[in-house]
Amino acid sequence: MTPADLSLTVLHAVRRAVGEGALRAGTRVPERVGIERPRPGGSGDWATNAALQLAREAGMAPLGVAQVLRPRIAEAEGIEHVEITGPGFLNITLADRSRHALVRDVLDKRERYGHGDALRGRAYRLVHPGGVRATVLAEAVRALLLAQGAHVLDDPRHDERHDDHPHATRPETVTLRPLPAVHDVAALGPDAARWALLRPAAHDRALAPDGLLVQSEANPLFTVRYAHSRARALLRNAAQLGITPAYEEDVAAPRLLAALGDHPAVLEAAARHRAPDRVARHMEATADAFLGFQHTVLPLGDEKPSAAHRSRLALAEAAGTVLAGGLALLGISAPDYL
């Protein structure tokens, strides 16, 4: 279950509560509710502040709203249990079968996993002052907006006559003004150059070229691309052993599963905030989680292939898929061999 799916589950619980009279009639159901990882000291896989968000309009204390929503969320498919913490946060633990669904979702959607329609019906015109960094940033922001269903006007000088477009709405002008690059990144080649320009937030300086071509863990770009190539190598090696990926049983890889589950929310947030650096940081976290897991995937020595190996292989394939998709949105290649 992705954050977007979970947001819909919470909204459905709110609508039920209003319809059943448990929340005051006329309580406005928001278009979306926030879903995030639990804060330090929290529990579960995800948390939402929906009760705090609704309290004023419902005419109740946040804790009371949370008590109304808790059983209705807990009844939903894929939810193991829901706990109320603090002033009214709802901490949600997913059932194991939801982790199976997560891996299947990644493998079904491939590099389009995490793409959605959160910005469908919105139109944007991107403008910037020119220069290599602003141009590269605009390209990445455009890709992120399109991945969330938005319409992006290709020509900043486009006039207002676009009513024949299915997304007919007055476009929002987004001005991108990153700090200009002070280093010449052209000699790095397209992939390392884009990483140097996109990995820092727009208000921070672009990365210096030093170290971006070094093949070591000190170079985060290399680590991300190496993790992708390792995932592809595991699939090739598994094929030689006659092992095919199939997520048949739960895999003890909480960091990696969390990173894969976070991917849709990261892409949506990156699009909303015009912040490709969020995707780059998430790629680093995903790569780090995968590289800590990869050594458990294939049988060792005389060990016989089992359902556990097939499940780990499916998770490795999902990790490689997410890394490739994230890099593609940044305009960076993900080679199978490094």
Side-chain angles (χ1 to χ4, degrees), residues 269-286:
R272 289 185 182 277
H273 295 281
R274 311 0 155 187
D277 57 287
R278 295 187 180 212
V279 180
R281 290 196 301 272
H282 182 60
M283 293 299 95
E284 292 178 16
T286 303

Side-chain angles (χ1 to χ4, degrees), residues 15-264:
R15 293 188 186 97
R16 276 187 56 198
V18 173
E20 295 167 2
L23 291 178
R24 186 166 65 186
T27 298
R28 184 180 61 84
V29 180
E31 292 184 3
R32 59 193 298 271
V33 295
I35 302 294
E36 59 183 20
R37 289 296 176 188
R39 298 179 182 183
S43 62
D45 297 306
W46 297 99
T48 178
N49 66 348
L52 286 78
Q53 185 177 346
L54 291 164
R56 181 184 295 273
E57 192 158 349
M60 300 171 62
L63 191 59
V65 178
Q67 290 168 341
V68 168
L69 296 180
R70 179 183 174 277
R72 291 169 173 81
I73 297 172
E75 291 173 2
E77 183 178 359
I79 306 297
E80 184 171 310
H81 67 263
V82 181
E83 180 183 359
I84 300 173
T85 61
F89 290 100
L90 290 157
N91 289 54
I92 303 168
T93 299
L94 303 181
D96 286 348
R97 63 182 177 273
S98 291
R99 298 181 177 90
H100 289 239
L102 167 63
V103 176
R104 286 197 303 270
D105 195 28
V106 177
L107 297 182
D108 286 346
K109 294 178 180 176
R110 308 304 304 173
E111 281 77 12
R112 291 187 60 81
Y113 169 68
H115 294 209
D117 59 2
L119 299 178
R120 186 168 301 282
R122 305 280 293 273
Y124 298 90
R125 176 186 289 110
L126 303 180
V127 297
H128 60 80
V132 62
R133 190 179 186 194
T135 300
V136 168
L137 177 62
E139 291 171 358
V141 169
R142 180 182 187 277
L144 289 166
L145 291 171
L146 291 174
Q148 296 303 313
H151 174 53
V152 183
L153 301 181
D154 293 317
D155 184 355
R157 298 164 299 180
H158 194 287
D159 63 27
E160 300 298 328
R161 294 171 295 176
H162 57 279
D163 292 340
D164 58 339
H165 193 278
H167 292 273
T169 184
R170 188 175 185 85
E172 175 184 344
T173 298
V174 175
T175 302
L176 303 172
R177 294 186 182 278
L179 282 182
V182 297
H183 301 284
D184 181 8
V185 297
L188 293 172
D191 290 326
R194 292 183 77 87
W195 184 269
L197 298 171
L198 296 174
R199 171 57 180 82
H203 58 266
D204 292 329
R205 293 190 180 278
L207 298 177
D210 300 344
L212 284 174
L213 296 180
V214 175
Q215 296 194 9
S216 76
E217 293 182 3
N219 176 4
L221 173 60
F222 170 76
T223 300
V224 171
R225 299 172 86 209
Y226 173 69
H228 171 265
S229 70
R230 284 297 304 145
R232 302 302 301 171
L234 287 170
L235 289 168
R236 293 192 297 270
N237 295 340
Q240 295 174 353
L241 297 173
I243 307 173
T244 55
Y247 202 86
E248 300 170 359
E249 59 181 59
D250 197 29
V251 175
R255 286 182 60 218
L256 182 54
L257 285 162
L260 301 186
D262 286 347
H263 189 63

